Amino acid sequence: MQKKIPQRQCMGCRERKAKKELLRVVRGTDGMVSLDFGGKLNGRGAYVCPNPECLKKAQKAKSLERSLDVPIPQEVYDRLVREMEAANNG
């Protein structure tokens, strides 16, 4: 029997993909929003493609804010884009 692959929906492009292909954006127990590259951090999570364009779409639609139930300041989006680009280049 084949093992079931967990699927998650990207908050930007709204496509369902394998959980391992997506980046998890997490609101930690302290209320801070950050990228979770390992998928193991405690807190409420939402998923986006490892593509800055998907993050921009999610920002415009405020889908991450709704999913994480917290207002996300512009500085946090800027930091997420930088972390995403560093991960893609590194």
Coordinates of all heavy atoms in Angstrom, one line a residue:
M1 N 0.8 -1.2 0.0 CA 0.0 0.0 0.0 C 0.9 1.3 0.0 O 1.8 1.4 0.8 CB -0.9 0.0 1.3 CG -2.0 1.0 1.2 SD -3.2 0.6 2.4 CE -2.9 2.0 3.6
Q2 N 0.6 2.2 -0.9 CA 1.4 3.4 -1.0 C 1.0 4.4 0.1 O -0.1 4.5 0.5 CB 1.2 4.1 -2.4 CG 2.2 5.2 -2.6 CD 2.1 5.6 -4.1 OE1 1.4 5.0 -4.9 NE2 2.8 6.6 -4.4
K3 N 2.1 5.0 0.7 CA 1.9 6.0 1.7 C 1.2 7.2 1.2 O 1.6 7.7 0.1 CB 3.2 6.3 2.4 CG 3.1 7.0 3.6 CD 4.5 7.2 4.3 CE 4.4 7.9 5.6 NZ 5.7 8.2 6.2
K4 N 0.3 7.8 1.9 CA -0.4 9.0 1.5 C 0.5 10.2 1.7 O 1.2 10.4 2.7 CB -1.7 9.2 2.3 CG -2.5 10.3 1.8 CD -3.8 10.4 2.6 CE -4.6 11.5 2.1 NZ -5.8 11.7 2.9
I5 N 0.6 11.1 0.6 CA 1.5 12.3 0.7 C 0.6 13.4 1.2 O -0.4 13.7 0.6 CB 2.1 12.6 -0.7 CG1 3.0 11.4 -1.1 CG2 2.9 13.9 -0.6 CD1 3.5 11.5 -2.6
P6 N 1.0 14.1 2.3 CA 0.2 15.2 2.8 C 0.2 16.4 1.8 O 1.3 16.7 1.3 CB 1.0 15.6 4.1 CG 2.0 14.6 4.4 CD 2.2 13.8 3.1
Q7 N -1.0 16.9 1.6 CA -1.1 18.0 0.7 C -1.5 19.3 1.4 O -2.2 19.2 2.4 CB -2.3 17.7 -0.3 CG -2.0 16.5 -1.2 CD -1.2 16.9 -2.4 OE1 -1.6 17.8 -3.2 NE2 -0.1 16.1 -2.7
R8 N -1.0 20.4 1.0 CA -1.4 21.7 1.6 C -1.6 22.7 0.4 O -1.1 22.5 -0.7 CB -0.3 22.3 2.5 CG 0.1 21.4 3.7 CD -1.1 21.4 4.7 NE -0.7 20.6 5.8 CZ -1.0 19.3 6.0 NH1 -1.6 18.6 5.1 NH2 -0.7 18.7 7.2
Q9 N -2.4 23.7 0.7 CA -2.8 24.7 -0.3 C -1.9 26.0 -0.1 O -1.8 26.5 1.0 CB -4.2 25.1 -0.2 CG -4.7 26.0 -1.3 CD -6.2 26.2 -1.2 OE1 -6.7 26.4 -0.2 NE2 -6.8 26.3 -2.4
C10 N -1.3 26.5 -1.2 CA -0.6 27.7 -1.1 C -1.5 28.9 -1.0 O -2.5 29.0 -1.6 CB 0.2 27.9 -2.4 SG 1.0 29.5 -2.6
M11 N -1.2 29.8 0.0 CA -2.0 30.9 0.2 C -2.0 32.0 -0.9 O -2.8 32.9 -0.9 CB -1.7 31.6 1.6 CG -1.9 30.7 2.8 SD -3.7 30.8 3.2 CE -4.2 29.1 2.9
G12 N -1.0 31.9 -1.8 CA -0.8 32.8 -2.8 C -1.5 32.4 -4.1 O -2.5 33.0 -4.5
C13 N -1.1 31.3 -4.7 CA -1.6 30.8 -5.9 C -2.8 29.9 -5.8 O -3.5 29.5 -6.7 CB -0.6 30.1 -6.8 SG 0.1 28.6 -6.1
R14 N -3.1 29.4 -4.5 CA -4.2 28.6 -4.2 C -4.1 27.2 -4.7 O -5.1 26.4 -4.8 CB -5.6 29.2 -4.5 CG -5.8 30.6 -4.1 CD -5.7 30.8 -2.6 NE -6.9 30.4 -1.9 CZ -7.0 30.4 -0.6 NH1 -6.0 30.8 0.1 NH2 -8.1 30.0 0.0
E15 N -2.9 26.8 -5.2 CA -2.7 25.4 -5.7 C -2.4 24.5 -4.6 O -1.7 24.8 -3.7 CB -1.6 25.4 -6.7 CG -1.9 26.0 -8.1 CD -0.7 25.9 -9.0 OE1 0.0 24.9 -9.0 OE2 -0.6 26.8 -9.9
R16 N -2.9 23.2 -4.7 CA -2.6 22.2 -3.7 C -1.4 21.5 -4.2 O -1.3 21.0 -5.3 CB -3.8 21.2 -3.6 CG -5.0 21.8 -2.9 CD -6.1 20.9 -2.6 NE -5.7 19.9 -1.6 CZ -5.8 20.3 -0.3 NH1 -6.1 21.5 0.1 NH2 -5.5 19.4 0.7
K17 N -0.4 21.4 -3.3 CA 0.9 20.7 -3.6 C 1.3 19.9 -2.4 O 0.7 20.0 -1.3 CB 2.0 21.8 -3.9 CG 1.7 22.7 -5.1 CD 2.8 23.6 -5.3 CE 2.4 24.5 -6.6 NZ 3.4 25.4 -6.9
A18 N 2.3 19.1 -2.6 CA 2.9 18.3 -1.5 C 3.4 19.2 -0.5 O 4.0 20.2 -0.8 CB 3.9 17.3 -2.1
K19 N 3.2 18.8 0.8 CA 3.6 19.7 1.9 C 5.1 20.0 1.8 O 5.5 21.1 2.1 CB 3.3 18.9 3.2 CG 3.5 19.7 4.5 CD 3.1 18.8 5.6 CE 3.5 19.4 6.9 NZ 3.2 18.5 8.1
K20 N 5.9 19.0 1.4 CA 7.4 19.3 1.3 C 7.8 20.3 0.3 O 8.9 20.9 0.4 CB 8.1 17.9 1.1 CG 8.0 17.0 2.2 CD 8.8 15.7 1.9 CE 8.7 14.8 3.2 NZ 9.6 13.7 3.1
E21 N 6.9 20.6 -0.7 CA 7.3 21.5 -1.7 C 7.0 23.0 -1.3 O 7.4 23.9 -2.0 CB 6.4 21.3 -3.0 CG 6.8 20.0 -3.7 CD 5.8 19.7 -4.9 OE1 5.3 20.7 -5.4 OE2 5.7 18.5 -5.3
L22 N 6.3 23.1 -0.2 CA 5.8 24.5 0.2 C 6.6 24.9 1.5 O 7.2 24.1 2.2 CB 4.3 24.4 0.6 CG 3.4 24.1 -0.6 CD1 2.0 23.9 -0.1 CD2 3.4 25.1 -1.7
L23 N 6.6 26.3 1.7 CA 7.2 26.8 2.9 C 6.1 27.1 3.9 O 5.0 27.6 3.5 CB 7.9 28.2 2.5 CG 9.2 28.0 1.8 CD1 9.7 29.4 1.4 CD2 10.3 27.3 2.5
R24 N 6.4 26.9 5.1 CA 5.4 27.1 6.2 C 5.7 28.5 6.8 O 6.8 28.8 7.2 CB 5.5 26.0 7.2 CG 4.5 26.1 8.3 CD 4.5 24.9 9.2 NE 3.5 24.9 10.2 CZ 3.7 25.0 11.5 NH1 5.0 25.0 11.9 NH2 2.8 25.1 12.4
V25 N 4.7 29.3 6.8 CA 4.7 30.6 7.5 C 4.0 30.3 8.8 O 2.9 29.8 8.9 CB 4.0 31.7 6.7 CG1 4.1 33.0 7.5 CG2 4.7 31.9 5.4
V26 N 4.7 30.6 10.0 CA 4.1 30.2 11.3 C 4.0 31.4 12.2 O 4.8 32.3 12.2 CB 5.0 29.1 11.9 CG1 6.4 29.6 12.3 CG2 4.3 28.6 13.1
R27 N 2.8 31.5 12.9 CA 2.7 32.5 14.0 C 3.0 31.7 15.2 O 2.2 30.8 15.7 CB 1.3 33.0 14.0 CG 1.1 34.0 15.2 CD -0.4 34.3 15.5 NE -0.9 33.1 16.2 CZ -2.2 32.7 16.1 NH1 -3.0 33.3 15.3 NH2 -2.6 31.6 16.8
G28 N 4.1 32.0 15.8 CA 4.6 31.3 17.0 C 3.7 31.6 18.2 O 2.8 32.5 18.2
T29 N 3.9 30.9 19.3 CA 3.2 31.1 20.5 C 3.4 32.5 21.1 O 2.6 33.0 21.9 CB 3.5 30.0 21.6 OG1 5.0 30.0 21.7 CG2 3.0 28.6 21.1
D30 N 4.5 33.1 20.7 CA 4.8 34.5 21.1 C 4.2 35.5 20.2 O 4.3 36.7 20.5 CB 6.3 34.7 21.2 CG 7.0 34.5 19.9 OD1 6.3 34.1 18.9 OD2 8.2 34.7 19.8
G31 N 3.5 35.1 19.2 CA 2.8 36.0 18.3 C 3.7 36.5 17.1 O 3.2 37.2 16.2
M32 N 5.0 36.1 17.1 CA 5.9 36.5 16.0 C 5.6 35.6 14.8 O 5.3 34.4 14.9 CB 7.3 36.3 16.4 CG 7.8 37.3 17.5 SD 7.9 38.9 16.8 CE 9.2 38.8 15.6
V33 N 5.7 36.3 13.6 CA 5.5 35.5 12.3 C 6.8 35.3 11.7 O 7.6 36.2 11.6 CB 4.6 36.4 11.4 CG1 4.4 35.7 10.0 CG2 3.2 36.6 12.0
S34 N 7.1 34.1 11.3 CA 8.4 33.8 10.6 C 8.2 32.6 9.7 O 7.2 31.9 9.7 CB 9.4 33.4 11.7 OG 9.0 32.3 12.5
L35 N 9.3 32.3 8.9 CA 9.3 31.2 8.0 C 9.8 30.0 8.7 O 10.7 30.1 9.5 CB 10.2 31.4 6.8 CG 9.7 32.3 5.6 CD1 10.7 32.5 4.6 CD2 8.4 31.7 5.0
D36 N 9.2 28.9 8.5 CA 9.5 27.6 9.2 C 10.0 26.7 8.1 O 9.2 26.0 7.4 CB 8.3 27.0 9.9 CG 8.6 25.7 10.6 OD1 9.8 25.3 10.6 OD2 7.7 25.1 11.1
F37 N 11.3 26.6 7.8 CA 11.9 25.8 6.8 C 11.8 24.3 7.1 O 11.6 23.5 6.2 CB 13.3 26.2 6.4 CG 13.4 27.5 5.8 CD1 13.8 28.6 6.6 CD2 13.1 27.7 4.5 CE1 13.9 29.9 6.1 CE2 13.2 29.0 4.0 CZ 13.6 30.1 4.7
G38 N 11.8 23.9 8.3 CA 11.7 22.5 8.7 C 10.3 22.0 8.9 O 10.1 20.8 8.9
G39 N 9.3 22.9 9.1 CA 8.0 22.5 9.3 C 7.7 21.9 10.7 O 6.7 21.2 10.9
K40 N 8.5 22.2 11.6 CA 8.4 21.7 13.0 C 8.1 22.7 14.1 O 7.9 22.3 15.2 CB 9.6 20.9 13.4 CG 10.0 19.8 12.4 CD 9.1 18.6 12.6 CE 9.6 17.4 11.7 NZ 8.6 16.5 11.4
L41 N 8.1 24.0 13.8 CA 8.0 25.0 14.8 C 6.6 24.9 15.4 O 5.6 24.6 14.7 CB 8.2 26.4 14.3 CG 9.7 26.7 13.9 CD1 9.8 28.1 13.3 CD2 10.6 26.6 15.1
N42 N 6.4 25.2 16.7 CA 5.1 25.3 17.3 C 4.4 26.5 16.9 O 5.0 27.6 16.6 CB 5.3 25.3 18.9 CG 5.7 24.0 19.4 OD1 5.4 23.0 18.8 ND2 6.3 24.0 20.6
G43 N 3.1 26.4 16.8 CA 2.3 27.6 16.4 C 1.4 27.3 15.2 O 1.4 26.2 14.6
R44 N 0.6 28.3 14.9 CA -0.3 28.2 13.7 C 0.4 28.4 12.4 O 1.2 29.3 12.3 CB -1.4 29.3 13.9 CG -2.4 29.4 12.8 CD -3.7 28.8 13.2 NE -4.6 29.0 12.2 CZ -5.3 28.0 11.6 NH1 -5.1 26.7 12.0 NH2 -6.2 28.2 10.7
G45 N 0.2 27.5 11.5 CA 0.9 27.6 10.2 C 0.0 27.8 9.0 O -1.1 27.4 9.0
A46 N 0.6 28.4 8.0 CA 0.0 28.5 6.7 C 1.1 28.3 5.7 O 2.3 28.5 6.0 CB -0.6 29.9 6.5
Y47 N 0.8 27.9 4.5 CA 1.8 27.5 3.5 C 1.8 28.4 2.3 O 0.7 28.9 1.8 CB 1.5 26.1 3.1 CG 1.8 25.1 4.2 CD1 0.8 24.9 5.2 CD2 3.0 24.5 4.4 CE1 1.0 24.0 6.2 CE2 3.2 23.6 5.4 CZ 2.2 23.4 6.3 OH 2.4 22.5 7.4
V48 N 3.0 28.6 1.7 CA 3.1 29.4 0.5 C 4.2 28.7 -0.3 O 5.1 28.0 0.2 CB 3.5 30.9 0.6 CG1 2.4 31.7 1.2 CG2 4.8 31.0 1.4
C49 N 4.1 28.8 -1.7 CA 5.2 28.3 -2.6 C 6.5 29.0 -2.3 O 6.5 30.2 -1.8 CB 4.8 28.5 -4.0 SG 3.3 27.6 -4.5
P50 N 7.6 28.4 -2.5 CA 8.9 29.1 -2.2 C 9.2 30.1 -3.4 O 10.3 30.0 -4.0 CB 9.9 27.9 -2.2 CG 9.3 26.9 -3.0 CD 7.8 27.0 -2.8
N51 N 8.3 30.9 -3.6 CA 8.3 31.9 -4.7 C 7.8 33.2 -4.2 O 6.7 33.3 -3.7 CB 7.4 31.3 -5.8 CG 7.3 32.3 -7.0 OD1 7.7 33.4 -7.0 ND2 6.6 31.8 -8.0
P52 N 8.7 34.3 -4.3 CA 8.2 35.6 -3.8 C 6.9 36.1 -4.4 O 6.2 36.9 -3.8 CB 9.4 36.5 -4.1 CG 10.6 35.6 -4.2 CD 10.1 34.3 -4.7
E53 N 6.6 35.7 -5.6 CA 5.4 36.1 -6.3 C 4.2 35.6 -5.5 O 3.2 36.3 -5.4 CB 5.4 35.6 -7.8 CG 6.3 36.4 -8.7 CD 6.1 37.9 -8.6 OE1 4.9 38.3 -8.8 OE2 7.1 38.7 -8.5
C54 N 4.2 34.3 -5.1 CA 3.1 33.8 -4.3 C 2.9 34.5 -3.0 O 1.8 34.7 -2.5 CB 3.3 32.3 -4.1 SG 2.9 31.3 -5.5
L55 N 4.1 34.9 -2.4 CA 4.0 35.7 -1.1 C 3.3 37.0 -1.4 O 2.5 37.5 -0.6 CB 5.4 35.8 -0.5 CG 5.4 36.4 0.9 CD1 4.7 35.6 1.9 CD2 6.9 36.6 1.3
K56 N 3.7 37.6 -2.5 CA 3.1 38.9 -2.9 C 1.6 38.8 -3.1 O 0.8 39.6 -2.6 CB 3.7 39.5 -4.1 CG 5.1 40.1 -3.8 CD 5.7 40.8 -5.1 CE 7.1 41.3 -4.8 NZ 8.1 40.6 -5.4
K57 N 1.1 37.7 -3.7 CA -0.3 37.5 -4.0 C -1.0 37.3 -2.6 O -2.1 37.8 -2.4 CB -0.5 36.2 -4.8 CG -0.2 36.5 -6.3 CD -0.5 35.2 -7.1 CE 0.0 35.3 -8.5 NZ -0.2 34.0 -9.2
A58 N -0.4 36.5 -1.7 CA -1.0 36.2 -0.4 C -1.1 37.5 0.4 O -2.0 37.8 1.1 CB -0.1 35.2 0.3
Q59 N -0.1 38.4 0.2 CA -0.1 39.7 0.9 C -1.2 40.6 0.4 O -1.9 41.2 1.2 CB 1.3 40.4 0.8 CG 1.3 41.7 1.4 CD 2.7 42.4 1.2 OE1 3.5 42.0 0.5 NE2 2.9 43.6 1.8
K60 N -1.3 40.6 -0.9 CA -2.4 41.5 -1.5 C -3.8 41.0 -1.1 O -4.6 41.8 -0.8 CB -2.2 41.4 -3.0 CG -3.1 42.4 -3.8 CD -2.8 42.4 -5.2 CE -3.7 43.4 -5.9 NZ -3.6 43.4 -7.4
A61 N -4.0 39.7 -1.1 CA -5.3 39.2 -0.7 C -5.5 39.1 0.8 O -6.6 38.7 1.3 CB -5.5 37.8 -1.3
K62 N -4.4 39.4 1.6 CA -4.5 39.3 3.0 C -4.8 37.8 3.5 O -5.4 37.6 4.6 CB -5.4 40.3 3.7 CG -5.0 41.7 3.5 CD -5.9 42.6 4.3 CE -5.6 44.1 4.1 NZ -4.3 44.5 4.4
S63 N -4.5 36.8 2.7 CA -4.9 35.5 3.0 C -4.0 34.9 4.2 O -4.5 34.2 5.0 CB -4.8 34.6 1.8 OG -3.5 34.6 1.2
L64 N -2.7 35.3 4.3 CA -1.9 34.9 5.4 C -2.5 35.5 6.7 O -2.5 34.9 7.8 CB -0.5 35.3 5.2 CG 0.4 34.4 4.3 CD1 1.7 35.0 4.1 CD2 0.4 33.0 4.8
E65 N -2.8 36.8 6.7 CA -3.4 37.4 7.9 C -4.6 36.7 8.4 O -4.8 36.5 9.6 CB -3.7 38.9 7.6 CG -2.4 39.7 7.4 CD -2.7 41.2 7.2 OE1 -3.8 41.7 7.5 OE2 -1.7 41.9 6.9
R66 N -5.5 36.4 7.4 CA -6.7 35.7 7.8 C -6.4 34.3 8.4 O -7.0 33.8 9.4 CB -7.7 35.5 6.6 CG -8.5 36.8 6.3 CD -9.6 36.5 5.4 NE -9.2 35.9 4.2 CZ -8.8 36.4 3.1 NH1 -8.7 37.8 3.0 NH2 -8.5 35.7 2.0
S67 N -5.5 33.6 7.7 CA -5.2 32.2 8.1 C -4.5 32.2 9.5 O -4.8 31.3 10.3 CB -4.3 31.6 7.1 OG -4.0 30.2 7.4
L68 N -3.6 33.1 9.7 CA -2.8 33.1 11.0 C -3.5 33.9 12.1 O -3.1 33.9 13.2 CB -1.4 33.7 10.7 CG -0.5 32.9 9.8 CD1 0.8 33.6 9.6 CD2 -0.3 31.5 10.3
D69 N -4.6 34.6 11.7 CA -5.4 35.4 12.6 C -4.6 36.5 13.4 O -4.8 36.6 14.6 CB -6.1 34.4 13.6 CG -7.3 35.1 14.3 OD1 -7.9 36.0 13.6 OD2 -7.7 34.7 15.4
V70 N -3.7 37.1 12.6 CA -2.9 38.2 13.2 C -2.6 39.2 12.1 O -2.3 38.8 11.0 CB -1.6 37.6 13.9 CG1 -0.7 37.0 12.8 CG2 -0.9 38.6 14.7
P71 N -2.6 40.5 12.4 CA -2.1 41.5 11.4 C -0.6 41.3 11.2 O 0.1 41.2 12.1 CB -2.5 42.8 12.0 CG -2.7 42.6 13.4 CD -3.1 41.1 13.6
I72 N -0.2 41.4 9.9 CA 1.2 41.2 9.6 C 1.7 42.5 9.0 O 1.3 43.0 8.0 CB 1.4 40.1 8.6 CG1 0.8 38.8 9.1 CG2 2.8 39.9 8.2 CD1 0.8 37.6 8.1
P73 N 2.7 43.1 9.8 CA 3.2 44.4 9.3 C 4.1 44.2 8.0 O 4.6 43.1 7.7 CB 4.1 44.9 10.4 CG 4.1 43.8 11.5 CD 3.2 42.7 11.0
Q74 N 4.3 45.3 7.3 CA 5.1 45.2 6.0 C 6.5 44.8 6.2 O 7.0 44.0 5.4 CB 5.1 46.6 5.4 CG 5.8 46.7 4.0 CD 5.3 45.8 3.0 OE1 4.1 45.7 2.8 NE2 6.1 45.1 2.3
E75 N 7.1 45.1 7.4 CA 8.5 44.7 7.7 C 8.6 43.2 7.7 O 9.6 42.6 7.3 CB 9.0 45.2 9.0 CG 8.8 46.7 9.2 CD 7.5 47.1 9.9 OE1 7.2 46.8 11.0 OE2 6.7 47.7 9.1
V76 N 7.5 42.5 8.2 CA 7.6 41.0 8.3 C 7.5 40.5 6.9 O 8.3 39.5 6.5 CB 6.4 40.5 9.1 CG1 6.3 39.0 9.1 CG2 6.5 41.0 10.6
Y77 N 6.7 41.0 6.0 CA 6.6 40.5 4.6 C 8.0 40.8 3.9 O 8.5 39.9 3.2 CB 5.6 41.3 3.8 CG 4.2 40.7 4.0 CD1 3.2 41.5 4.7 CD2 3.8 39.5 3.6 CE1 1.9 41.0 4.9 CE2 2.5 39.0 3.8 CZ 1.6 39.8 4.4 OH 0.3 39.3 4.6
D78 N 8.6 41.9 4.2 CA 10.0 42.2 3.6 C 11.0 41.2 4.1 O 11.8 40.7 3.3 CB 10.4 43.6 4.0 CG 9.6 44.7 3.3 OD1 8.8 44.4 2.4 OD2 9.6 45.8 3.9
R79 N 10.9 40.8 5.4 CA 11.9 39.9 5.9 C 11.6 38.5 5.3 O 12.5 37.7 5.0 CB 11.7 39.8 7.5 CG 12.7 38.8 8.1 CD 12.7 39.0 9.6 NE 11.3 39.1 10.2 CZ 10.6 38.0 10.6 NH1 11.1 36.8 10.4 NH2 9.4 38.2 11.1
L80 N 10.3 38.1 5.2 CA 10.0 36.8 4.6 C 10.5 36.7 3.1 O 11.0 35.7 2.8 CB 8.5 36.6 4.6 CG 7.8 36.4 6.0 CD1 6.3 36.3 5.8 CD2 8.4 35.3 6.7
V81 N 10.4 37.8 2.4 CA 10.9 37.8 1.0 C 12.4 37.6 1.0 O 13.0 36.8 0.2 CB 10.5 39.1 0.2 CG1 11.3 39.2 -1.1 CG2 9.0 39.1 0.0
R82 N 13.1 38.3 1.9 CA 14.6 38.2 2.0 C 15.0 36.8 2.4 O 15.9 36.2 1.8 CB 15.2 39.2 3.0 CG 15.2 40.6 2.5 CD 16.1 41.5 3.4 NE 15.7 41.5 4.8 CZ 14.8 42.3 5.3 NH1 14.2 43.2 4.6 NH2 14.5 42.2 6.6
E83 N 14.3 36.2 3.4 CA 14.6 34.8 3.8 C 14.4 33.8 2.7 O 15.1 32.9 2.5 CB 13.7 34.4 5.0 CG 14.1 35.1 6.3 CD 13.3 34.7 7.5 OE1 12.7 33.6 7.4 OE2 13.1 35.4 8.4
M84 N 13.3 34.0 1.9 CA 12.9 33.2 0.8 C 14.0 33.2 -0.3 O 14.4 32.2 -0.8 CB 11.5 33.6 0.3 CG 10.8 32.6 -0.4 SD 9.2 33.2 -0.9 CE 8.2 32.8 0.5
E85 N 14.4 34.5 -0.6 CA 15.4 34.6 -1.6 C 16.8 34.0 -1.2 O 17.5 33.4 -2.0 CB 15.6 36.1 -2.0 CG 14.4 36.6 -2.8 CD 14.4 38.1 -3.0 OE1 15.2 38.8 -2.3 OE2 13.6 38.6 -3.8
A86 N 17.1 34.2 0.1 CA 18.4 33.6 0.6 C 18.3 32.1 0.5 O 19.3 31.5 0.2 CB 18.6 34.1 2.0
A87 N 17.2 31.5 0.8 CA 17.0 30.1 0.8 C 17.1 29.5 -0.6 O 17.7 28.5 -0.9 CB 15.7 29.6 1.4
N88 N 16.5 30.3 -1.6 CA 16.6 29.9 -3.0 C 18.0 30.0 -3.6 O 18.4 29.2 -4.4 CB 15.6 30.7 -3.8 CG 14.2 30.3 -3.6 OD1 13.8 29.3 -3.1 ND2 13.2 31.2 -3.9
N89 N 18.7 31.0 -3.1 CA 20.1 31.2 -3.6 C 21.1 30.3 -2.9 O 22.2 30.1 -3.4 CB 20.5 32.7 -3.5 CG 19.7 33.6 -4.4 OD1 19.1 33.1 -5.4 ND2 19.6 34.8 -4.0
G90 N 20.8 30.0 -1.6 CA 21.7 29.2 -0.8 C 21.6 27.8 -1.0 O 22.3 26.9 -1.0

